[in-house]
Amino acid sequence: MRILLFHGDLDSLNHFTDIAKNFLEAVGCKTHVCKITMPLSNRETDLLADFLEKRVDAVILYDGIGMLFKGIYDSLGILVVNILVDHPMTFVHCMADPPRKYIQFSPDERHAAFSKKYWNIRNSFFLPHMGTAPVVSIGGKRETGLLFAGNTWSFESLMDEIKDSAYSDIFVEMIEYMLLHSSVTIEDACGIVIRDRGISLSDGETAWLLVQAKAVDEYVRMYYRDRALRMILDSGMDLTVIGTNWDRTEFTARSNFHWIPEKPFAEIFRYMSASKVALNVMPWFKAGSHERIFNALLSGACPVSDKSTWLEQKFTDGEDMVFYDLNELERLPGIIREMVENDDLRESIVKKGQEKVVCRYQAASVIGEVLRKVIELI
């Protein structure tokens, strides 16, 4: 089987592509990774043309990187597999006029249903994020008590973007609703707000409204991220954060806040493997997974995460991971402190969680599921 993949500007997506490539080649596939630059270099154009001279069975994209060649895929009858790591509303360019042969995977069960309902993507499936960190032995000396890996964005800039929108009143009300109801998805919040306002929209009109609501999603995510970290710092606990823009926050004035500027995606695993606990604040995925949880466990760190219905089905609190509730963030410091201080409990949780990730959420399982769908459809 011959499969085309792509590298773009995002280091994390390139990392996932490399892991997928290594697995596919290990099971006998022939692959080519095209590096997308604008304009595409002559060398990359020639290499891509050479690969396309023979039959290509599938194209595997992350977050639609490589969709610009849709016309070529359609003309050659190539199956396009799009693996999303974010909410589908961000990828209207993939769904409004999808390739003729198209599969879309989402890391949240409700996202997969969203794509079917609002964009009529028939082959829309759930696929968990993939754990890609090296497996590190549990225990040993870990210098960092608590690590959080993630970026932040300014509330002010996000709200400015929202207020500049023609739908600012609806978007502000959606934010208010989601902050009061932390288990509600952005599409459900949108439906509730427009209904309460007496506005009648078709599914298609609602879908296009949500395309413009990315800042709403980001604002709510940043709100809970800020609250969780603030609660921890207020408790006096040390917190190490890796990511961008934290130097622009007031947290940097606190002696228990330790900031590491953004690192290449795979380099974060080294910091996880030196940490006892890795905090996760989910994106607004209410029925989904996140690679931070899987990579923490593979790195020998205990993930402490808010919940999703999928996570609660697949993991057990206090047995193979640790949950907290967004509505009870005042309890978060105590939950983390117990994990940092109780080595026996933490290591027992990590051992069981790590075994589960190795069995179910590494490339062999995740990309293996993609490959099974490709074989089924071609």
Side-chain angles (χ1 to χ4, degrees), residues 36-56:
I36 293 184
T37 56
M38 288 298 141
L40 201 66
S41 70
N42 290 336
R43 172 174 168 73
E44 289 299 332
T45 301
D46 291 343
L47 290 172
L48 178 60
D50 288 344
F51 192 75
L52 291 171
E53 279 187 353
K54 296 181 181 178
R55 173 185 169 84
V56 173

Side-chain angles (χ1 to χ4, degrees), residues 19-35:
I19 296 294
K21 174 182 183 295
N22 292 340
F23 170 79
L24 292 167
E25 291 184 347
V27 297
C29 297
K30 174 71 174 176
T31 70
H32 173 67
V33 178
C34 177
K35 298 178 177 65

Side-chain angles (χ1 to χ4, degrees), residues 1 3-5 16 19-21 23-24 27 29 57-62 79-85 102-107 123 125-130 360 362-378:
M1 187 173 294
I3 298 178
L4 176 64
L5 306 102
F16 296 145
I19 296 294
K21 174 182 183 295
F23 170 79
L24 292 167
V27 297
C29 297
D57 298 284
V59 178
I60 296 180
L61 318 176
Y62 273 96
L79 176 66
V80 179
V81 180
N82 194 9
I83 304 173
L84 303 185
V85 301
Y102 185 60
I103 313 174
Q104 185 168 290
F105 290 100
S106 296
N123 289 316
F125 306 103
F126 168 75
L127 185 77
H129 280 171
M130 176 171 56
R360 303 181 188 178
Q362 288 186 300
S365 298
V366 178
I367 303 303
E369 176 61 22
V370 173
L371 194 55
R372 279 190 289 275
K373 283 292 183 187
V374 168
I375 292 169
E376 178 183 320
L377 291 175
I378 65 172

Side-chain angles (χ1 to χ4, degrees), residues 133-139 142 144-148 268-279 291-304 315 320-322 339-340 345-354 357:
V135 179
V136 175
S137 60
I138 297 157
R142 289 177 175 257
T144 302
L146 174 62
L147 176 74
F148 175 72
I268 294 171
F269 304 152
R270 176 168 62 88
Y271 293 91
M272 285 184 169
S273 66
S275 302
K276 294 181 178 181
V277 174
L279 176 67
E291 51 79 19
R292 267 194 297 263
I293 295 168
F294 302 152
N295 286 330
L297 287 166
L298 292 173
S299 301
C302 181
V304 176
F315 291 85
D320 47 23
M321 74 166 295
V322 176
M339 290 301 104
V340 170
L345 176 59
R346 183 185 69 252
E347 290 172 12
S348 172
I349 291 169
V350 173
K351 181 177 185 296
K352 293 174 183 175
Q354 189 179 91
V357 174

Side-chain angles (χ1 to χ4, degrees), residues 143-362:
E143 300 290 343
T144 302
L146 174 62
L147 176 74
F148 175 72
N151 303 324
T152 189
W153 291 275
S154 159
F155 288 117
E156 291 78 12
S157 62
L158 290 171
M159 187 53 70
D160 286 345
E161 183 179 342
I162 290 164
K163 288 181 177 178
D164 284 344
S165 167
Y167 308 101
S168 59
D169 290 349
I170 292 174
F171 290 163
V172 169
E173 196 168 332
M174 285 170 59
I175 288 173
E176 292 171 351
Y177 192 88
M178 293 162 73
L179 296 186
L180 287 172
H181 304 87
S182 64
S183 64
V184 173
T185 65
I186 188 170
E187 56 266 27
D188 286 347
C190 182
I192 290 165
V193 168
I194 61 177
R195 183 199 65 201
D196 289 350
R197 284 173 164 257
I199 301 171
S200 178
L201 296 180
S202 66
D203 285 346
E205 290 168 330
T206 301
W208 280 105
L209 179 62
L210 285 166
V211 168
Q212 302 171 72
K214 183 174 175 58
V216 173
D217 175 76
E218 290 176 342
Y219 189 97
V220 175
R221 288 167 58 187
M222 290 307 108
Y223 172 83
Y224 279 104
R225 189 170 288 189
D226 178 89
R227 276 199 67 204
L229 269 59
R230 192 175 298 276
M231 200 70 71
I232 292 164
L233 293 169
D234 286 349
S235 76
M237 193 179 308
D238 279 311
L239 170 65
T240 299
V241 172
I242 303 176
T244 59
N245 297 328
W246 294 104
D247 55 326
R248 301 179 185 180
T249 69
E250 57 91 7
F251 292 158
T252 54
R254 303 192 185 209
S255 60
N256 56 335
F257 180 81
H258 311 286
W259 174 59
I260 300 169
E262 184 179 28
K263 298 290 182 182
F265 185 81
E267 194 173 328
I268 294 171
F269 304 152
R270 176 168 62 88
Y271 293 91
M272 285 184 169
S273 66
S275 302
K276 294 181 178 181
V277 174
L279 176 67
N280 181 53
V281 185
M282 288 286 284
W284 214 246
F285 294 0
K286 296 306 169 184
S289 69
H290 203 278
E291 51 79 19
R292 267 194 297 263
I293 295 168
F294 302 152
N295 286 330
L297 287 166
L298 292 173
S299 301
C302 181
V304 176
S305 176
D306 56 317
K307 305 168 186 177
S308 79
T309 55
W310 184 87
L311 285 171
E312 289 186 286
Q313 290 167 4
K314 303 301 180 182
F315 291 85
T316 301
D317 187 25
E319 182 176 312
D320 47 23
M321 74 166 295
V322 176
F323 289 120
Y324 66 89
D325 195 315
L326 290 177
N327 297 317
E328 298 177 345
L329 282 175
E330 67 279 359
R331 297 185 58 231
L332 179 58
I335 292 170
I336 292 172
R337 184 171 282 109
E338 181 180 16
M339 290 301 104
V340 170
E341 295 176 355
N342 191 332
D343 293 345
D344 290 342
L345 176 59
R346 183 185 69 252
E347 290 172 12
S348 172
I349 291 169
V350 173
K351 181 177 185 296
K352 293 174 183 175
Q354 189 179 91
E355 289 171 353
K356 183 170 285 186
V357 174
V358 169
C359 289
R360 303 181 188 178
Y361 305 117
Q362 288 186 300

